[in-house]
């Protein structure tokens, strides 16, 4: 008996073959049993019946147990039967799938059971087949009921019998499928027409039964129980991504994404819900690999970053390349099948089943194309993510090692761009990396296939393609140049923005907002010029790429007609399909080249940064134990700040013994701070030897405070030792400050310590150093920002108390303390000119004697005044309290119940509102702009479709005889040209709209930030603003316009494809509703999580930038404490938090893409099936070609349309974030036209304060509590009080940085509250507490607005003692000032600030600790200059140095926000007074110590 006859036999018994033979071998018997229709059905039915018998037996046993247990009320079974209070049940996708598929199987079986009994011709087969379908329907119905009961009884795993049944069911369905395929291929007609449909159903059953097989192997029901939050809350370590432990199948189809997407769909995701990365994907692991692969010194590699990345990731690059090759290979199967489909529908077929094979081939090709495409995307993005995290952590670690000169050369703004932009560009490049070498390969395959259809006419296509490539190369070269200039412009803008944000207080004091706005806008103008060129160039490139298939096909078909090649529907639409396939690599190739060129530029920038100079670890010899008792030794030391610059310190020779206190003194700019830097190893050592024993602690002259609580700042990474902590708080005089703070040491400090007074910042960083318990302490002018009493206490309790056994090197201007030190080093011009004890140095004369003489002169007036009042002096410490100078707490005290000053970043939740889209789309040209763009896009799609309709019409069989080649090609060319023009207008229109919108948004955010009140900057980290100025602005500049255009094109393309498919395969229209619904549902399901992940991504990016910026600013402090590892760990933690969002964003995108493209492919296969099944009278072969050439791109067009719209929604978060900062409440108007002060106001300088009340926020305590006083024009007023009493607050109210809560300030008869802020601030002069310099030149710092002549500038510099220093520099007034003025000493910076005021010559001058950072000698000179130059001016001077205020006309004593005393110094000293107490304290502190 031949096996072929068994395949079509309906008998269940062995019959003779036509040759009279029975099965003679085991093989033939097996073929009969397993491949013949009737035995197959008998086999599956017997397994069904066996399973049903087992289920019935089990049910009967349970029923029997139930009845017999009724007499035993306490039995376990009874307890189970009573409904108990259960936890909430949740079901996974596997539970739903098993239930839905079981019901679906049962329904299909019922339908085929009915069909079998009603339509079968043979009675025996009717009975056999009908009963088989009935048994199968009953079995699957029972399984569905069983699954429902599993949920009721909370079963965690399926019964073993069910799992065995599913495994056996899968094996037998495989047999059904094999025999069915053999029957379809052999194309033998059978007596039963239903058998063919049965075979097709079992082929469809096979993939569904594979799902059951997987569930059987896994065993889990997919039912989970949710308990209380406390029970299920996982620890951070256990909450690792499901990807880490996912099975191969889960990874293949992205099932591991389901739990997170489900959470995001139920409620907006929060950071804690996003699982952490797999250990191998975390930043620490990647950094370790990167460092191990970094080229060794002997390798001499020119591009080390590139070489190291290749060494780290070559396996990942190879794997993604392999996926790309497979993807391209299966992609060409679709176009290759078009001719076969057209032949089949026109009647040219080798078998009646050939159409089904074509459908199966198409399904196979599309499935593998979809799968490989999305795995390629996912793994490329994962590779990019790992590269980004590797680079960010490496850049951070390098930043902590940079030398001073390298740090200045790059600047914080630029280094932020290395992290935020360059690392991101290299990450994005991974998606396009393989396109560079695969494009020629893809084009070669396409041309090979084209040659089979068009022969020699392919040469025309090759010439057209070559012309396109030449155009691409030329434009890419330009794009490369434009992008490089654009990035340089962005760097400059970011640097200027960063500097502006960091110094906003000074900018507002001086009313320089307009100047800095223009400065940023100038840089933005340069950036925008290159952005415009780049965008239009890219648009032109995309236009040529988009129109190339139509243009090249016109040339090719025209050439084919000339050569006499026949153009039929199969040839034309296969060619069109191939042209469309080539369109993708042609379109992406220039983008890939652009990305490559950007990546090369970024790699070059990173190479320069990573090869920048580092501090040499061996410049300082560090020893654990001091054998000879010497803690710090410098021998023949010469040092410079940069490798190339001149010597800053020379011929240094000194020893500091263990446990000694050494003081370093000298005039401003003599090199005192540089000595500390040389001991720390922060300077370039030219020659000599530096040796330090033990650990070092450093307190910088300019305070460096982290954004965090006071406790976190003091602990600085060490564990809490409560007793030591309390002692440190006490000796650093912080107890009273903390008492006044609502949350004590849990009060959060703003960025750069913005909400603390200068003295509080200084004492907190001193406390940080003391708590570290180091061996050697380097203290740089720690007493400059504190009052006399506090300074004395700190010296006694801290320097000479808790640190008495430590080695201390103290830079100071406080001569009072010097007779209490073991060694004094006197500096001049970078050299130690004298050294020894106080008494020895006094007798030797010269520099030290001059410093002491200047101090004693200033003290004479104090001592004379106090001689008579000692007995009556009240103790200030008993009557005073501390209330915050800038006031730490009151200033920015948050709402009750929270110690947070810097609130968590505000973020919207849920979908991006239509309002955001409306704002973006209509900001530039209103609704008219939107209407014009939409109209052009619609017209462009219609013109594209009309040219394809023309092709279909002209190449149909009906028109073959009347075909007119010249008419055909003329009309086709005209339609192609019209399409080209419309597309050009649409493309350039969208770019114009995008650029205009970007300009408007940038102007809005810049304007709002400059108009924001000071409280906004106190509570908003600069990283949060910078991330909007860099990432968010880049999204609005570059990405949204390009993707907005892509989205329009894709949606209109999907519309066109669906119209054409449904027009010629009309039954497919019925599937449009479920297809549309599924797409919309998937989009909504995906977006719920995706947009929250995008928002969280933006929110977790800002802390990385902020932490980096903060670390670079305080790098000297970090290095001195050897805390680099602690800060690197914090950076890694923040990077990991951001990477989680990136990883899940990419995973969710491919999860969506795979499902949407699969739906599109299924829709295409269904439409192709109808083209085969519908009669030839309905289906025209030419329309089949048109439908399939369009339909082959449906899956990708559908996915990209949905995805790009989601991408835009995610990028629209940038619009939302920028809009948040465009509606900041503004401070008062800069200028009020009807309230302009007279041109020369104030003329006299009369000041009247009437019941002045100040609080920093509503519902917070008053800082100034009803001050009333009058100051006459020309008076010199000294303001004194304890640290934190409200002195600086008074100055801020005059400049309206803080608006009064009540009362008035009247200056020369005008209430300052009625004036515009610029009119007010520009008329007052101020020398602020912290000297601020901007990057630029001496001239641009002294006269930023350019109002004065060089002669006037030189005069002011001469008066502030800087003329000689600046004249000695080669560039004179154009001498460089780096960011923050780091190449000038703090004293010199203070003098330059004084120079600004002298130029301005205001009638009302405020000095806030103006000479805190200069020595007594320089202070005396400055005071003399001020007295001489500002004779007629009213001066209000805040000072800690009592001699500074002794020659004032009157002194104001502020205590706890009240004006306790206001009178002449002599009168205050005549009676018991707070001022008398301060004076006596200052005069006697030297003897008290």
């Amino acid at each position: 008996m031949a096996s072929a006859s068994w395949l079509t036999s309906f008998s269940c018994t062995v019959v003779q073959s036509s040759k009279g033979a029975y099965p003679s071998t085991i093989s033939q018997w097996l073929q009969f049993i397993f491949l013949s229709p009737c035995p197959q059905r008998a086999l599956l039915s017997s397994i069904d019946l066996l399973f049903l018998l087992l289920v019935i037996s089990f049910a009967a046993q349970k029923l029997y147990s139930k009845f017999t247990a009724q007499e035993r009320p306490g039995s376990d079974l009874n307890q189970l039967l009573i409904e108990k209070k259960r936890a909430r049940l949740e079901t996974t996708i596997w539970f739903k799938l098993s239930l839905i598929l079981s019901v679906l199987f049962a329904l299909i079986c019922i339908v085929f059971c009915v069909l079998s009994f009603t339509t079968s011709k043979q009675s025996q087969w009717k009975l056999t087949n009908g009963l088989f379908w009935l048994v199968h329907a009953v079995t699957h119905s029972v399984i569905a009921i069983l699954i429902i009961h599993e949920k009721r009884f909370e079963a965690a795993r399926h019964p073993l019998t069910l799992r065995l049944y599913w495994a056996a069911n899968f094996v037998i369905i495989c047999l059904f499928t094999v025999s069915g395929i053999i029957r379809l291929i052999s194309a033998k007609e059978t007596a039963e027409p239903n058998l063919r449909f049965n075979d097709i159903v079992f082929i469809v059953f096979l993939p569904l039964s594979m799902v059951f097989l997987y569930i059987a192997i896994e065993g889990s029901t997919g039912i989970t129980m949710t308990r209380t939050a406390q029970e299920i809350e996982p620890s951070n370590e256990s909450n690792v991504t499901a990807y880490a432990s996912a099975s191969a199948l889960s990874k293949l189809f992205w099932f591991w994404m389901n739990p997170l997407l489900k959470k995001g769909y139920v409620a907006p995701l929060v950071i804690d819900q996003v699982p952490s990365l797999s250990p191998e994907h975390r930043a620490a692991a990647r950094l370790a690999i990167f460092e191990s692969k970094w080229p060794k010194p002997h390798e001499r590699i020119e591009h080390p970053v590139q070489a190291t990345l290749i060494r780290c990731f070559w396996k990942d690059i190879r794997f993604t390349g392999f996926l790309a090759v497979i993807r391209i290979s299966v992609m060409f199967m679709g176009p290759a099948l078009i001719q076969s489909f057209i032949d089949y529908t026109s009647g040219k077929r080798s078998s009646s089943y050939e159409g089904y094979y074509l459908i199966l081939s198409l399904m196979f090709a599309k499935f593998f194309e979809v799968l490989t495409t999305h795995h390629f995307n996912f793994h490329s993005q994962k590779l990019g993510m790992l590269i980004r995290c590797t680079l960010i952590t490496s850049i951070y670690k390098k930043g902590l090692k940079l030398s001073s000169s390298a740090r200045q050369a790059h600047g914080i703004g630029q280094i932020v761009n290395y992290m935020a932009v360059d690392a991101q560009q290299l990450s994005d490049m991974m998606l396009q990396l393989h396109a560079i070498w695969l494009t020629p390969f893809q084009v070669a395959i396409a041309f090979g296939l084209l040659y089979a259809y068009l022969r020699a006419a392919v040469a025309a296509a090759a010439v057209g393609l070559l012309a396109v490539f030449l155009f691409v190369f030329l434009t890419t070269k330009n794009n490369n140049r434009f992008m490089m200039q654009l990035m340089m412009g962005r760097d400059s803008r970011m640097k200027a923005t960063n500097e502006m944000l960091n110094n906003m207080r000074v900018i507002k004091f001086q009313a320089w907002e307009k100047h800095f706005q223009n400065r940023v806008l100038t840089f933005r103008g340069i950036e925008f010029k290159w952005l415009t060129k780049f965008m239009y160039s890219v648009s032109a490139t995309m236009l040529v790429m988009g129109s190339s298939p139509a243009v090249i096909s016109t040339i090719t078909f025209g050439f084919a007609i000339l050569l006499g090649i026949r153009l039929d529907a199969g040839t034309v639409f296969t060619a069109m399909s191939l042209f469309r396939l080539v369109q993708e690599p042609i379109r992406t190739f220039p983008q890939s080249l652009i990305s490559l060129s950007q990546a090369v530029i970024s790699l070059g920038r990173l190479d320069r940064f990573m090869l920048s100079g580092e501090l040499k670890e061996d410049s300082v010899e560090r020893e654990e134990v001091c054998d000879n008792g010497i803690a710090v030794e410098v021998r023949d030391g010469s040092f410079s700040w940069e490798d190339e610059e001149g010597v800053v310190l020379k011929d240094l020779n000194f020893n500091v013994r263990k446990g000694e206190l050494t003081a370093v003194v000298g005039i401003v700019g003599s090199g005192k701070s540089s000595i500390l830097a040389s001991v720390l190893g922060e300077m370039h050592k030219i020659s000599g030897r530096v040796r330090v024993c033990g650990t070092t602690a450093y307190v910088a002259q300019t305070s460096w405070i982290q954004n965090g609580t006071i406790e976190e700042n003091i602990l600085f990474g060490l564990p809490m030792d409560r007793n030591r902590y309390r002692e440190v708080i006490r000796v650093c005089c912080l107890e009273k400050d903390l008492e006044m703070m609502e949350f004590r040491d849990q009060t959060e400090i703003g960025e750069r310590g913005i909400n603390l007074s200068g003295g509080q910042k200084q004492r907190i960083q001193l406390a940080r150093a003391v708590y570290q318990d180091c061996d050697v302490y380097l203290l740089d002018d720690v007493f400059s920002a504190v009052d006399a009493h506090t300074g004395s206490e700190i010296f006694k309790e801290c320097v000479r108390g808790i640190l008495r056994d430590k080695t201390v090197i103290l830079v100071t201007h406080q001569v009072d303390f010097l007779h209490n030190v073991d060694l004094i080093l006197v500096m001049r011009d970078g050299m130690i000119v004298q050294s020894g004890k106080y008494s020895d140095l006094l007798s030797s004369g010269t520099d030290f004697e001059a410093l002491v003489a200047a101090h004693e002169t200033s003290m004479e007036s104090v001592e004379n005044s106090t001689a008579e009042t000692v007995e009556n002096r009240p103790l200030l410490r008993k009557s005073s309290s501390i209330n915050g100078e800038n006031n730490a707490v009151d200033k920015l005290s948050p709402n009750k119940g929270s110690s947070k000053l810097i609130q968590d970043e505000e973020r919207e939740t849920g979908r991006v509102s239509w309002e955001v889209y409306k704002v973006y789309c209509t900001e530039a040209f209103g609704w008219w702009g939107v209407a014009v763009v939409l109209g052009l896009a619609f017209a462009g799609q219609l013109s594209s479709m009309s040219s394809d309709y023309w092709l279909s019409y002209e190449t149909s069989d009906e028109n073959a005889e009347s075909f007119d080649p010249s008419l055909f090609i003329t009309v086709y060319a005209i339609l192609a040209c019209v399409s080209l023009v419309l597309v050009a207008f649409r493309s350039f229109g969208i770019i114009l709209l995008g650029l205009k919108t970007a300009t408007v948004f940038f102007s809005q955010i810049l304007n709002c930030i400059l108009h924001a009140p000071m409280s906004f900057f106190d509570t908003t980290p600069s990283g949060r603003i910078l991330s909007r100025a860099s990432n968010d602005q880049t999204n609005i500049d570059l990405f949204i316009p390009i993707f907005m255009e892509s989205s329009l094109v894709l949606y209109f393309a999907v519309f066109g494809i669906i119209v054409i498919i449904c027009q010629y395969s009309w039954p497919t229209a019925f599937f449009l509703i479920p297809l549309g619904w599924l797409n919309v549902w998937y989009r909504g399901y995906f977006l719920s999580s995706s947009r929250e992940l995008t928002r969280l991504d933006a929110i977790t990016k800002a802390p990385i930038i902020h932490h980096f910026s903060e670390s670079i600013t305080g790098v000297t402090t970090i290095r001195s404490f050897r805390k680099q590892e602690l800060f690197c760990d914090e950076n890694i933690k923040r990077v990991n938090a951001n990477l989680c969002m990136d990883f899940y964003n990419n995973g969710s995108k491919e999860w969506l893409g795979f499902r949407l493209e699969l739906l599109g492919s299924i829709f295409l296969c269904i439409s192709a099936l109808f083209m085969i099944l519908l009669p030839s009278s309905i289906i025209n072969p030419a329309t089949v070609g048109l439908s399939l050439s369009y339909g082959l791109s449906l899956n990708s067009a559908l996915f990209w349309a949905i995805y790009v719209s989601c991408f835009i929604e995610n990028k629209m978060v940038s619009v939302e974030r920028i809009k948040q900062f465009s509606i900041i409440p503004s401070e008062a108007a800069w200028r009020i036209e009807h309230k302009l002060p007279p041109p020369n106001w104030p003329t006299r300088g009369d000041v009247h304060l009437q019941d002045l009340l100040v609080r920093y926020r509503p519902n917070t305590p008053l800082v100034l509590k009803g001050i009333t006083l009058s100051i006459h024009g020309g008076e010199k007023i000294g303001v004194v009080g304890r640290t934190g009493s409200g002195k600086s607050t008074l100055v801020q109210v005059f400049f309206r940085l803080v608006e009064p809560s009540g009362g008035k300030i009247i200056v020369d008869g005008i209430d300052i509250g009625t004036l515009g802020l610029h009119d007010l601030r520009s008329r007052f002069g101020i020398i602020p507490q912290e000297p601020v310099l901007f990057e630029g030149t001496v001239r641009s710092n002294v006269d930023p607005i350019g109002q004065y002549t060089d002669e006037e500038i030189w005069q002011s510099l001469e008066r502030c003692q800087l003329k000689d220093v600046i004249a000695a520099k080669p560039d004179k007034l154009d001498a460089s000032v780096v960011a923050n003025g780091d190449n000038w000493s703090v004293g010199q910076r203070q003098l330059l600030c004084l120079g600004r005021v002298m130029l301005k010559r205001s009638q009302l001058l405020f000095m806030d600790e103006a000479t805190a950072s200069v020595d007594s000698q320089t202070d005396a000179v400055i005071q003399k200059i001020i007295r001489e130059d500002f004779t007629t001016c009213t001066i209000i001077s805040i000072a800690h140095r009592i001699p500074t205020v002794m020659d004032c006309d009157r002194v104001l004593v502020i205590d706890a926000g009240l004006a306790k005393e206001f009178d002449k110094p002599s009168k205050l000293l005549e009676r018991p007074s707070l001022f008398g107490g301060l004076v006596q304290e200052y005069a006697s502190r030297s003897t008290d110590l």
Side-chain angles (χ1 to χ4, degrees), residues 733-751:
C733 302
L734 282 167
E735 288 176 313
K736 287 187 179 177
D737 297 82
L738 296 182
E739 281 169 18
M740 295 304 297
M741 297 182 185
E742 188 179 355
F743 302 101
R744 298 182 62 81
D745 61 354
Q746 296 307 308
T747 300
E748 187 172 0
I749 301 171
E751 195 177 6

Side-chain angles (χ1 to χ4, degrees), residues 554 557-558 560-562 567 950 954 962-974:
T554 305
F557 294 152
I561 289 167
L562 283 175
L567 295 177
W950 175 252
E954 282 292 305
S962 59
F963 182 70
D964 181 349
S966 61
L967 177 66
F968 163 73
I969 205 68
T970 304
V971 172
Y972 189 70
I974 289 168

Side-chain angles (χ1 to χ4, degrees), residues 839-891:
S839 55
D840 300 336
L841 293 178
L842 263 186
S843 58
S844 63
T846 65
D847 296 69
F848 184 68
E849 189 182 23
L851 281 171
V852 173
H855 172 69
E856 287 178 349
T857 304
S858 69
M859 289 297 293
E860 280 174 11
S861 59
V862 179
E863 286 164 359
N864 293 338
S865 305
T866 57
E868 300 168 3
T869 57
V870 176
E871 294 171 13
N872 299 324
R873 173 172 64 85
L875 291 175
L876 180 62
R877 70 191 72 176
K878 289 182 182 174
S879 61
S880 69
S881 62
I882 295 173
N883 193 38
E885 178 183 327
N886 254 0
N887 189 332
V889 194
D890 297 347
K891 177 172 186 180

Side-chain angles (χ1 to χ4, degrees), residues 197-219:
F197 289 111
N198 281 209
D199 289 339
I200 291 169
V201 167
F202 280 112
I203 291 168
V204 173
F205 271 9
L206 181 65
L208 301 180
S209 63
M210 283 173 73
V211 176
F212 280 133
L213 178 67
Y214 177 77
I215 295 170
I217 294 167
E218 287 286 319

Side-chain angles (χ1 to χ4, degrees), residues 259-486:
L260 186 75
L261 291 172
K262 185 177 179 182
K263 281 182 196 170
Y265 187 63
V266 172
L269 286 174
V270 292
I271 286 178
D272 295 340
Q273 289 178 310
V274 182
S276 59
L277 295 170
S278 308
E280 71 272 16
H281 294 155
R282 291 178 194 169
R286 304 319 309 181
L287 177 63
I289 294 169
F290 185 83
E291 288 177 335
S292 67
K293 304 285 185 185
W294 185 262
K296 305 297 180 282
H298 65 269
E299 292 182 70
R300 297 175 183 241
I301 291 175
E302 192 178 348
H303 301 293
V305 176
Q306 178 185 319
T308 311
L309 289 175
I310 290 170
R311 289 175 184 179
C312 291
F313 299 106
W314 67 271
K315 287 182 181 175
D316 303 87
I317 294 169
R318 186 181 64 182
F319 178 63
T320 51
F322 169 71
L323 287 173
V325 170
I326 291 180
R327 169 175 164 262
I328 285 170
S329 303
V330 294
M331 202 182 276
F332 283 99
M333 283 184 69
L337 289 171
I338 288 179
Q339 184 68 56
S340 304
F341 271 103
I342 290 172
D343 289 345
Y344 182 86
T345 51
S346 59
K348 303 173 191 171
R349 57 186 81 166
S350 57
S351 156
S352 56
Y353 300 113
E354 185 186 347
Y356 299 111
Y357 314 144
L358 291 174
I359 298 291
L360 286 172
S361 301
L362 185 62
M363 275 183 72
F364 169 84
K366 295 308 283 182
F367 175 76
F368 274 96
E369 181 192 332
V370 169
L371 191 66
T372 52
T373 296
H374 290 286
H375 271 285
F376 168 76
N377 290 343
F378 175 70
H379 286 283
S380 295
Q381 288 168 331
K382 181 164 73 94
L383 170 61
M385 175 195 87
L386 295 178
I387 286 173
R388 185 170 74 90
C389 97
T390 303
L391 288 173
I392 288 175
T393 47
S394 305
I395 290 166
Y396 182 85
K397 198 163 185 179
K398 176 71 179 182
L400 294 183
K401 296 178 184 175
L402 284 182
S403 67
S404 175
S405 57
R407 202 162 65 242
Q408 289 174 13
H410 292 283
I412 292 174
Q414 203 164 322
I415 299 172
V416 165
N417 269 351
Y418 295 148
M419 297 175 76
V421 179
D422 294 301
Q424 187 65 53
Q425 278 180 341
L426 286 168
S427 172
D428 296 341
M429 172 63 203
M430 292 304 105
L431 260 180
Q432 288 138 350
L433 180 66
H434 296 293
I436 292 156
W437 62 273
L438 277 174
T439 296
F441 172 61
Q442 200 166 343
V443 170
I445 294 175
F447 271 86
L449 290 169
L450 277 171
Y451 183 77
Y453 292 96
L454 295 171
R455 299 294 170 191
V458 169
V463 170
L465 203 60
L466 185 64
V468 169
F469 270 117
L470 282 173
F471 175 81
V472 167
F473 278 112
L474 290 171
T475 51
T476 303
K477 192 177 176 185
N478 274 335
N479 289 342
N480 185 6
R481 185 168 60 88
F482 297 155
M483 179 49 73
M484 190 170 181
Q485 295 293 336
L486 172 62

Side-chain angles (χ1 to χ4, degrees), residues 35 156 775 987 1014 1017 1036 1323 1358 1456:
L35 298 178
D775 300 312
S987 186
M1014 213 43 235
F1017 300 98
I1036 289 171
R1323 305 297 178 90
E1358 185 176 15

